[in-house]
Amino acid sequence: MSFNEAKAKYALLGVDVERAMEKLRSVPVALHCWQGDDVRGFDTDPEKPLTGGIQTTGNYPGRARDVKELMADIDRVLALCPGTKKINLHASYAVFTPENGGWVDRDKLEPKHFEAWADFCRERGIGADFNPTLFSHPMCDPLTLSSPNEKTRRFWIDHCKACIRISEYLARETGIKCVMNIWTGDGLKDTPADRFGPRQRYKESLDEILSMPYDFSLVKPCVESKVFGIGVESYTVGSAEFTLGYAASNKDKCIPLMDNGHYHPTEVVSDKIPAMLVFFPEIALHITRGVRWDSDHVVLFDDETKELCKEIVRCGGLEGSVDIALDYFDASVNRIAAWTLGFRNVQKALLNGLLTPNETLKKLQDEGRFTELLVMQDELKTLPFGDVWNEYCRLCGVPADGEWMKTVLEYEQKVLVNRK
Ligand code: RNT
Ligand code: ZN
């Protein structure tokens, strides 16, 4: 009843609600595996500190301690989230078993170490994205791909090459392209004496990694920039200009990735998307929420998330030119809830973008009717969006708002509290 009324209200504005929901259901959004275990992974000592400028804070009970727990937790999240999903993996989540020969270091990783994940994705009919893990490892000196130390650089170049092979394997196994994001925390705490050298070396490393053969329609290597990180406050090698420049001069080999926690606080990725799409046929996103700094808080249904998703919709990004992934990690609240809330909010914001009468608004802008544009954009905010959202959840077979948290609390009581 309330859905039909909502639908009629949107129809008056020329918005086809059914078509919007259908479109959204087909768009893949990558769920990051690392929210489940505070970015620790399985390949190094779980008590080691995170390095590379990233940090989780909090010790809420229930962190996944092995692949079985992590997969079980991801399944809980998938069951609560509408839409098409992918799983975003990091190399540090390799699964070592006696059958596949046990532990190897990151430069020796092979597709077989991700067979369990490939099976996981195939069984659920979803794709996988991938990331080399260039942090929290003894071979960070502390630099990786930009290190002046040849041995260090070799190790990490070999790691990234291994990751391309794994990404191609995942793409072939799932039948869905794999976005492989290269991010390093390389940088300096204090004023550098040489800003140029590390960037030259980073470029040379990337050139060597991307010179290996791979099918660019299956593997989409990305380069992610960052303005600063904890412990690398004064200088990051992979700055915005560096990664953008690299991606622009290697369009046949890689694409740029923007993480909305990685810019100066008044810069917004919503505005960057249409700028980038003028020049790049494909871009990738990490959606997060920075609070004052790149704090990786849980994504909310807030103004910037809405604006960012509106731009994805308006720029045709849902037709495959924008690869959408989540990237945040909060250890201070129930991790299943954090994952679910953020994923649902990205879906919500995309639905909100699809339910915006973008053609009408564009016409007002182009005709210079700015007063009407201002009024209409603001009044759209009180349309009965929630009724459409709950109908979308129903269509996707997942709980509506207000209904999913109780299942998370049940799982917490039954499973998570027992993880000590
Ligand atoms: C860090 C980057 C990077 C990581 C993940 C774990 O600031 O955003 O993308 O968060 O690779
Ligand atoms: Zn990121």
XYZ file of all heavy atoms in Angstrom, residues 76-154:
630
model
N 26.569 -14.380 6.714
C 25.541 -13.656 7.482
C 25.263 -12.315 6.818
O 24.123 -11.899 6.663
C 26.001 -13.369 8.930
C 26.361 -14.552 9.783
C 25.289 -15.588 9.852
N 23.992 -15.037 10.223
C 22.844 -15.678 10.094
N 22.814 -16.881 9.596
N 21.711 -15.102 10.459
N 26.332 -11.637 6.419
C 26.192 -10.299 5.828
C 25.479 -10.392 4.474
O 24.554 -9.621 4.190
C 27.574 -9.622 5.670
C 27.449 -8.256 5.030
C 28.271 -9.518 7.033
N 25.912 -11.354 3.660
C 25.307 -11.498 2.323
C 23.796 -11.706 2.429
O 23.031 -11.201 1.606
C 25.939 -12.675 1.562
C 27.422 -12.539 1.197
C 27.915 -13.789 0.471
C 27.687 -11.303 0.340
N 23.385 -12.448 3.478
C 21.958 -12.744 3.631
C 21.156 -11.506 4.045
O 19.931 -11.497 3.957
C 21.782 -13.858 4.663
N 21.838 -10.486 4.495
C 21.139 -9.286 4.972
C 21.228 -8.119 3.992
O 20.661 -7.057 4.233
C 21.719 -8.860 6.332
C 21.606 -9.902 7.459
C 22.308 -9.398 8.714
C 20.154 -10.228 7.764
N 21.978 -8.324 2.916
C 22.216 -7.217 1.977
C 21.556 -7.482 0.634
O 21.753 -8.547 0.043
C 23.719 -7.024 1.778
S 24.544 -6.458 3.266
N 20.826 -6.495 0.123
C 20.212 -6.660 -1.190
C 21.216 -6.430 -2.315
O 22.306 -5.903 -2.086
C 19.136 -5.570 -1.202
C 19.696 -4.485 -0.337
C 20.521 -5.180 0.721
N 20.851 -6.818 -3.513
C 21.666 -6.486 -4.688
C 22.667 -7.563 -5.054
O 22.724 -8.632 -4.453
N 23.482 -7.239 -6.060
C 24.512 -8.161 -6.549
C 25.808 -7.883 -5.809
O 26.226 -6.740 -5.695
C 24.729 -7.939 -8.065
O 23.493 -8.183 -8.727
C 25.795 -8.875 -8.616
N 26.426 -8.932 -5.282
C 27.653 -8.725 -4.501
C 28.864 -9.356 -5.164
O 28.738 -10.300 -5.933
C 27.504 -9.329 -3.097
C 26.393 -8.713 -2.282
C 25.354 -9.743 -1.963
C 24.090 -9.135 -1.421
N 23.035 -10.162 -1.311
N 30.021 -8.814 -4.808
C 31.311 -9.435 -5.079
C 32.018 -9.495 -3.730
O 31.672 -8.728 -2.832
C 32.168 -8.551 -5.995
C 31.794 -8.555 -7.441
C 32.694 -7.582 -8.199
C 33.630 -8.318 -9.132
N 34.484 -7.362 -9.899
N 33.020 -10.351 -3.615
C 33.825 -10.341 -2.389
C 35.174 -9.723 -2.729
O 35.813 -10.108 -3.711
C 34.057 -11.770 -1.843
C 32.727 -12.461 -1.529
C 34.932 -11.726 -0.583
C 31.927 -11.836 -0.424
N 35.590 -8.769 -1.930
C 36.884 -8.134 -2.145
C 37.901 -8.761 -1.194
O 37.749 -8.693 0.026
C 36.762 -6.629 -1.895
C 37.834 -5.841 -2.619
O 38.752 -6.418 -3.212
N 37.736 -4.526 -2.552
N 38.924 -9.410 -1.779
C 39.907 -10.138 -0.972
C 41.247 -9.423 -0.964
O 41.560 -8.686 -1.895
C 40.121 -11.529 -1.580
C 38.905 -12.444 -1.588
C 39.186 -13.656 -2.467
C 38.572 -12.885 -0.171
N 42.015 -9.684 0.072
C 43.396 -9.219 0.130
C 44.292 -10.440 0.067
O 43.928 -11.518 0.542
C 43.653 -8.458 1.440
C 44.000 -7.026 1.225
N 45.245 -6.641 0.822
C 43.251 -5.906 1.334
C 45.260 -5.317 0.704
N 44.054 -4.839 1.001
N 45.508 -10.266 -0.453
C 46.442 -11.394 -0.549
C 46.704 -12.026 0.813
O 46.957 -13.224 0.913
C 47.747 -10.916 -1.167
N 46.620 -11.223 1.864
C 46.886 -11.746 3.208
C 45.816 -12.741 3.673
O 45.956 -13.333 4.734
C 46.990 -10.587 4.205
O 45.861 -9.756 4.088
N 44.765 -12.919 2.875
C 43.715 -13.881 3.227
C 43.904 -15.210 2.503
O 42.966 -16.000 2.369
C 42.324 -13.282 2.980
C 42.050 -12.154 3.956
C 42.548 -10.871 3.728
C 41.367 -12.382 5.143
C 42.353 -9.844 4.636
C 41.152 -11.358 6.066
C 41.652 -10.098 5.802
O 41.458 -9.096 6.717
N 45.130 -15.476 2.041
C 45.452 -16.769 1.434
C 45.130 -17.880 2.423
O 45.306 -17.716 3.628
C 46.946 -16.807 1.084
N 44.668 -18.997 1.882
C 44.312 -20.128 2.746
C 45.363 -21.218 2.563
O 45.483 -21.809 1.490
C 42.901 -20.657 2.394
C 42.534 -21.824 3.305
C 41.866 -19.537 2.505
N 46.129 -21.448 3.620
C 47.192 -22.462 3.560
C 46.705 -23.741 4.216
O 46.215 -23.715 5.347
C 48.443 -21.955 4.291
C 48.959 -20.647 3.730
C 48.916 -19.481 4.490
C 49.472 -20.580 2.445
C 49.390 -18.279 3.983
C 49.952 -19.382 1.925
C 49.905 -18.224 2.695
N 46.843 -24.843 3.485
C 46.423 -26.141 4.026
C 47.545 -27.151 3.772
O 48.384 -26.926 2.895
C 45.151 -26.648 3.302
O 45.454 -26.820 1.903
C 43.986 -25.684 3.436
N 47.531 -28.259 4.517
C 48.530 -29.296 4.237
C 48.438 -29.753 2.770
O 49.463 -30.011 2.126
C 48.149 -30.437 5.187
C 47.351 -29.789 6.279
C 46.684 -28.583 5.672
N 47.230 -29.793 2.215
C 47.033 -30.253 0.824
C 47.680 -29.315 -0.191
O 48.196 -29.756 -1.211
C 45.539 -30.385 0.467
C 44.776 -31.443 1.267
C 44.456 -30.970 2.678
O 43.880 -29.877 2.817
O 44.812 -31.670 3.639
N 47.641 -27.987 0.079
C 48.261 -27.091 -0.917
C 49.703 -26.717 -0.552
O 50.282 -25.815 -1.145
C 47.379 -25.870 -1.228
C 47.236 -24.882 -0.064
O 48.088 -24.810 0.822
N 46.167 -24.111 -0.080
N 50.253 -27.420 0.425
C 51.675 -27.257 0.711
C 51.987 -26.335 1.879
O 53.157 -26.115 2.182
N 50.954 -25.785 2.499
C 51.171 -24.939 3.674
C 51.648 -23.535 3.340
O 51.649 -23.109 2.179
N 52.104 -22.844 4.375
C 52.435 -21.422 4.283
C 53.541 -21.112 3.265
O 54.535 -21.842 3.169
C 52.875 -20.929 5.666
C 53.203 -19.464 5.701
C 52.329 -18.439 5.931
C 54.494 -18.858 5.511
N 52.992 -17.233 5.876
C 54.315 -17.445 5.629
C 55.781 -19.344 5.233
C 55.370 -16.544 5.490
C 56.824 -18.435 5.088
C 56.618 -17.049 5.232
N 53.346 -20.062 2.507
C 54.440 -19.490 1.710
C 54.403 -17.981 1.921
O 53.379 -17.429 2.336
C 54.303 -19.775 0.184
C 54.405 -21.263 -0.116
C 53.003 -19.189 -0.377
N 55.501 -17.329 1.616
C 55.519 -15.877 1.790
C 54.787 -15.209 0.611
O 54.491 -15.853 -0.396
C 56.961 -15.370 1.927
C 57.023 -14.151 2.860
O 55.968 -13.528 3.112
O 58.136 -13.821 3.335
N 54.559 -13.910 0.752
C 53.679 -13.234 -0.214
C 54.225 -13.201 -1.643
O 53.444 -13.079 -2.584
C 53.395 -11.812 0.269
C 52.514 -11.809 1.506
C 52.124 -10.408 1.931
N 51.450 -10.478 3.227
C 51.207 -9.433 4.003
N 51.584 -8.216 3.626
N 50.586 -9.587 5.159
N 55.546 -13.315 -1.779
C 56.095 -13.294 -3.148
C 55.920 -14.640 -3.851
O 56.186 -14.748 -5.045
C 57.577 -12.882 -3.131
C 58.431 -13.811 -2.285
O 57.893 -14.446 -1.346
O 59.640 -13.915 -2.557
N 55.470 -15.642 -3.093
C 55.356 -16.990 -3.666
C 53.901 -17.456 -3.744
O 53.645 -18.641 -3.971
C 56.144 -17.992 -2.798
C 57.640 -17.689 -2.640
C 58.418 -18.233 -3.815
C 59.920 -18.014 -3.761
N 60.435 -16.810 -3.145
N 52.995 -16.556 -3.560
C 51.574 -16.954 -3.561
C 51.157 -17.449 -4.945
O 51.649 -16.972 -5.961
C 50.694 -15.773 -3.148
C 50.703 -15.420 -1.660
C 49.971 -14.101 -1.436
C 50.082 -16.537 -0.818
N 50.223 -18.386 -4.930
C 49.727 -18.959 -6.181
C 48.206 -19.043 -6.136
O 47.617 -18.995 -5.053
C 50.274 -20.383 -6.349
C 51.752 -20.464 -6.664
C 52.191 -21.916 -6.766
O 51.564 -22.687 -7.521
O 53.150 -22.281 -6.054
N 47.592 -19.216 -7.316
C 46.135 -19.369 -7.352
C 45.617 -20.426 -6.369
O 44.572 -20.237 -5.751
C 45.859 -19.757 -8.807
C 46.936 -19.052 -9.578
C 48.152 -19.121 -8.684
N 46.362 -21.512 -6.194
C 45.862 -22.587 -5.317
C 45.598 -22.099 -3.888
O 44.774 -22.662 -3.183
C 46.839 -23.777 -5.307
C 48.190 -23.499 -4.669
C 49.092 -24.724 -4.699
C 50.426 -24.406 -4.045
N 51.434 -25.457 -4.213
N 46.285 -21.058 -3.481
C 46.054 -20.534 -2.129
C 44.728 -19.782 -2.020
O 44.330 -19.380 -0.930
C 47.223 -19.629 -1.716
C 48.539 -20.333 -1.722
N 49.587 -19.976 -2.545
C 48.957 -21.429 -1.026
C 50.600 -20.806 -2.347
N 50.255 -21.679 -1.440
N 44.071 -19.596 -3.156
C 42.776 -18.903 -3.156
C 41.651 -19.775 -3.703
O 40.563 -19.293 -3.977
C 42.889 -17.566 -3.900
C 43.678 -16.595 -3.084
C 45.066 -16.564 -3.174
C 43.061 -15.791 -2.142
C 45.816 -15.735 -2.360
C 43.798 -14.956 -1.323
C 45.179 -14.916 -1.432
N 41.963 -21.076 -3.779
C 40.953 -22.006 -4.281
C 39.707 -21.998 -3.384
O 38.577 -22.021 -3.880
C 41.566 -23.408 -4.320
C 40.828 -24.359 -5.219
C 41.416 -25.779 -5.147
O 42.663 -25.903 -5.066
O 40.627 -26.726 -5.154
N 39.927 -21.947 -2.085
C 38.785 -21.961 -1.155
C 37.888 -20.744 -1.399
O 36.659 -20.834 -1.343
C 39.289 -21.971 0.287
N 38.523 -19.604 -1.694
C 37.735 -18.388 -1.969
C 37.048 -18.481 -3.319
O 35.902 -18.018 -3.478
C 38.627 -17.150 -1.903
C 39.018 -16.764 -0.516
C 40.267 -16.850 0.031
C 38.169 -16.222 0.513
N 40.240 -16.387 1.330
C 38.967 -16.001 1.651
C 36.802 -15.922 0.576
C 38.457 -15.474 2.842
C 36.290 -15.395 1.761
C 37.105 -15.187 2.877
N 37.741 -19.059 -4.305
C 37.113 -19.217 -5.629
C 35.876 -20.105 -5.503
O 34.818 -19.801 -6.057
C 38.109 -19.812 -6.624
N 36.011 -21.189 -4.731
C 34.861 -22.081 -4.517
C 33.739 -21.329 -3.806
O 32.573 -21.439 -4.174
C 35.264 -23.293 -3.648
C 36.233 -24.219 -4.379
O 36.368 -24.075 -5.613
O 36.862 -25.061 -3.703
N 34.123 -20.569 -2.796
C 33.141 -19.799 -2.023
C 32.326 -18.901 -2.951
O 31.096 -18.844 -2.892
C 33.872 -18.962 -0.970
C 32.977 -18.113 -0.099
C 32.429 -18.621 1.072
C 32.684 -16.795 -0.455
C 31.608 -17.827 1.879
C 31.865 -16.003 0.340
C 31.320 -16.525 1.509
N 33.030 -18.192 -3.833
C 32.361 -17.251 -4.743
C 31.525 -18.006 -5.784
O 30.387 -17.629 -6.054
C 33.380 -16.360 -5.436
S 34.152 -15.202 -4.304
N 32.091 -19.037 -6.349
C 31.359 -19.782 -7.387
C 30.072 -20.378 -6.825
O 29.020 -20.277 -7.438
C 32.244 -20.874 -7.981
C 32.332 -20.773 -9.495
C 33.061 -21.898 -10.183
N 34.379 -22.188 -9.663
C 34.670 -23.128 -8.770
N 33.729 -23.912 -8.282
N 35.905 -23.316 -8.359
N 30.159 -20.952 -5.630
C 28.966 -21.548 -5.019
C 27.870 -20.511 -4.788
O 26.693 -20.824 -4.752
C 29.332 -22.186 -3.658
C 29.997 -23.541 -3.802
C 30.822 -23.916 -2.557
O 30.598 -23.315 -1.471
O 31.703 -24.797 -2.693
N 28.262 -19.275 -4.593
C 27.277 -18.226 -4.329
C 26.962 -17.394 -5.570
O 26.211 -16.427 -5.505
C 27.775 -17.326 -3.188
C 27.655 -18.031 -1.846
C 28.673 -17.565 -0.834
N 28.633 -18.410 0.354
C 29.203 -19.620 0.444
N 29.845 -20.137 -0.587
N 29.093 -20.319 1.554
N 27.604 -17.767 -6.674
C 27.347 -17.062 -7.937
C 27.799 -15.617 -7.932
O 27.187 -14.760 -8.566
N 28.888 -15.339 -7.207
C 29.356 -13.946 -7.132
C 30.809 -13.832 -7.590
O 31.545 -14.815 -7.616
C 29.191 -13.358 -5.701
C 29.975 -14.183 -4.685
C 27.721 -13.285 -5.320
C 29.821 -13.682 -3.252
N 31.211 -12.632 -7.931
C 32.566 -12.380 -8.387
C 33.508 -12.069 -7.230
O 33.092 -11.982 -6.071
N 34.790 -11.911 -7.580
C 35.792 -11.574 -6.562
C 36.680 -10.442 -7.067
O 37.047 -10.412 -8.245
C 36.646 -12.793 -6.250
N 37.005 -9.520 -6.189
C 38.039 -8.529 -6.447
C 39.241 -8.888 -5.586
O 39.122 -9.690 -4.652
C 37.538 -7.114 -6.114
C 36.560 -6.603 -7.170
O 36.510 -7.197 -8.265
O 35.848 -5.629 -6.894
N 40.408 -8.286 -5.895
C 41.621 -8.727 -5.214
C 42.554 -7.555 -4.943
O 42.471 -6.517 -5.609
C 42.319 -9.796 -6.060
C 43.270 -10.635 -5.274
C 42.797 -11.540 -4.338
C 44.647 -10.518 -5.463
C 43.679 -12.313 -3.589
C 45.525 -11.293 -4.719
C 45.054 -12.194 -3.788
N 43.423 -7.720 -3.958
C 44.394 -6.682 -3.597
C 45.700 -7.310 -3.162
O 45.701 -8.166 -2.263
C 43.918 -5.876 -2.366
C 42.571 -5.235 -2.551
O 42.462 -4.043 -2.773
N 41.506 -6.026 -2.457
N 46.832 -6.900 -3.737
C 48.100 -7.247 -3.109
C 48.140 -6.623 -1.707
O 47.576 -5.547 -1.515
C 49.152 -6.607 -4.011
C 48.432 -5.878 -5.085
C 46.978 -6.056 -4.919
N 48.797 -7.288 -0.768
C 48.873 -6.730 0.586
C 50.278 -6.193 0.821
O 51.208 -6.940 1.153
C 48.516 -7.794 1.649
O 47.301 -8.436 1.261
C 48.335 -7.165 3.022
N 50.418 -4.882 0.644
C 51.733 -4.238 0.719
C 51.926 -3.529 2.061
O 52.465 -2.423 2.121
C 51.860 -3.249 -0.447
C 51.825 -3.897 -1.850
C 50.993 -3.085 -2.808
C 53.231 -4.086 -2.396
N 51.450 -4.166 3.131
C 51.598 -3.561 4.465
C 51.582 -4.677 5.506
O 51.336 -5.839 5.170
C 50.474 -2.537 4.726
C 49.083 -3.077 4.496
C 48.423 -3.818 5.455
C 48.435 -2.851 3.282
C 47.147 -4.319 5.229
C 47.154 -3.348 3.046
C 46.515 -4.078 4.023
N 51.845 -4.310 6.764
C 51.806 -5.262 7.885
C 52.608 -6.537 7.585
O 52.087 -7.649 7.688
C 50.353 -5.636 8.231
O 49.542 -4.517 8.390
N 53.859 -6.335 7.213
C 54.700 -7.484 6.854
C 56.169 -7.119 7.124
O 56.568 -5.973 6.901
C 54.487 -7.800 5.366
C 55.169 -9.055 4.909
N 56.513 -9.102 4.612
C 54.692 -10.308 4.698
C 56.833 -10.334 4.245
N 55.750 -11.089 4.287
N 56.982 -8.107 7.573
C 58.395 -7.795 7.872
C 59.185 -7.239 6.681
O 60.192 -6.557 6.885
C 58.988 -9.148 8.300
C 57.880 -10.120 8.386
C 56.612 -9.472 7.937
N 58.752 -7.481 5.443
C 59.497 -6.957 4.286
C 59.163 -5.495 3.958
O 59.683 -4.959 2.979
C 59.269 -7.832 3.043
C 60.081 -9.123 3.023
S 61.877 -8.887 3.124
C 62.254 -8.490 1.411
N 58.334 -4.846 4.767
C 58.141 -3.397 4.606
C 59.328 -2.764 5.330
O 59.532 -3.006 6.524
C 56.838 -2.933 5.248
S 55.365 -3.759 4.624
N 60.117 -1.960 4.637
C 61.400 -1.551 5.246
C 61.520 -0.081 5.648
O 62.648 0.378 5.811
C 62.543 -1.976 4.312
C 62.655 -1.124 3.044
O 61.964 -0.106 2.960
O 63.451 -1.487 2.165
N 60.604 0.774 5.832
C 59.168 0.528 5.809
C 58.562 0.658 4.421
O 57.386 0.427 4.246
C 58.617 1.626 6.728
C 59.560 2.773 6.509
C 60.899 2.146 6.286
N 59.344 1.058 3.411
C 58.785 1.213 2.069
C 58.649 -0.152 1.396
O 59.226 -1.144 1.853
C 59.673 2.141 1.231
C 59.964 3.528 1.835
C 60.817 4.357 0.886
C 58.678 4.268 2.169
N 57.901 -0.181 0.314
C 57.705 -1.441 -0.420
C 58.126 -1.244 -1.872
O 59.305 -1.309 -2.197
C 56.239 -1.937 -0.308
O 55.341 -1.001 -0.921
C 55.833 -2.142 1.139
N 57.177 -0.938 -2.730
C 57.477 -0.799 -4.165
C 58.338 0.423 -4.476
O 58.877 0.544 -5.568
C 56.168 -0.735 -4.975
C 55.336 -2.023 -4.979
C 53.986 -1.783 -5.657
C 56.075 -3.167 -5.682
N 58.479 1.329 -3.508
C 59.293 2.525 -3.755
C 60.590 2.486 -2.957
O 61.326 3.473 -2.896
C 58.501 3.782 -3.382
O 58.370 3.870 -1.972
N 60.872 1.336 -2.339
C 62.052 1.238 -1.486
C 63.357 1.444 -2.260
O 63.488 0.998 -3.403
C 62.074 -0.144 -0.821
O 63.296 -0.338 -0.160
N 64.343 2.076 -1.619
C 65.656 2.174 -2.256
C 66.400 0.836 -2.226
O 67.402 0.665 -2.924
C 66.392 3.210 -1.388
C 65.693 3.195 -0.072
C 64.270 2.776 -0.330
N 65.901 -0.095 -1.424
C 66.542 -1.390 -1.265
C 66.036 -2.365 -2.333
O 64.848 -2.706 -2.367
C 66.218 -1.887 0.154
C 66.806 -3.232 0.456
O 67.235 -3.965 -0.438
N 66.819 -3.576 1.732
N 66.933 -2.797 -3.192
C 66.553 -3.620 -4.339
C 65.858 -4.925 -3.920
O 64.900 -5.368 -4.552
C 67.810 -3.902 -5.180
C 67.571 -4.562 -6.529
C 66.443 -3.922 -7.369
O 66.286 -2.675 -7.336
O 65.697 -4.682 -8.037
N 66.341 -5.521 -2.821
C 65.770 -6.784 -2.356
C 64.295 -6.593 -1.940
O 63.433 -7.423 -2.224
C 66.584 -7.291 -1.154
C 66.754 -8.791 -1.160
C 67.636 -9.270 -0.020
C 66.811 -10.130 0.905
N 67.264 -10.181 2.276
N 64.068 -5.475 -1.283
C 62.689 -5.173 -0.865
C 61.796 -4.989 -2.079
O 60.698 -5.551 -2.173
C 62.667 -3.860 -0.050
O 63.571 -3.982 1.025
C 61.282 -3.554 0.461
N 62.276 -4.183 -3.002
C 61.465 -3.920 -4.204
C 61.161 -5.205 -4.959
O 60.037 -5.443 -5.389
C 62.196 -2.943 -5.131
C 61.962 -1.506 -4.744
C 61.977 -0.547 -5.928
N 63.045 -0.735 -6.880
C 62.844 -0.780 -8.206
N 61.638 -0.656 -8.710
N 63.872 -0.943 -9.012
N 62.167 -6.055 -5.103
C 61.994 -7.330 -5.815
C 60.898 -8.169 -5.162
O 60.018 -8.702 -5.820
C 63.347 -8.074 -5.809
C 63.445 -9.437 -6.406
C 63.137 -9.581 -7.885
N 63.353 -8.383 -8.667
C 62.548 -7.969 -9.650
N 61.488 -8.663 -9.993
N 62.805 -6.877 -10.322
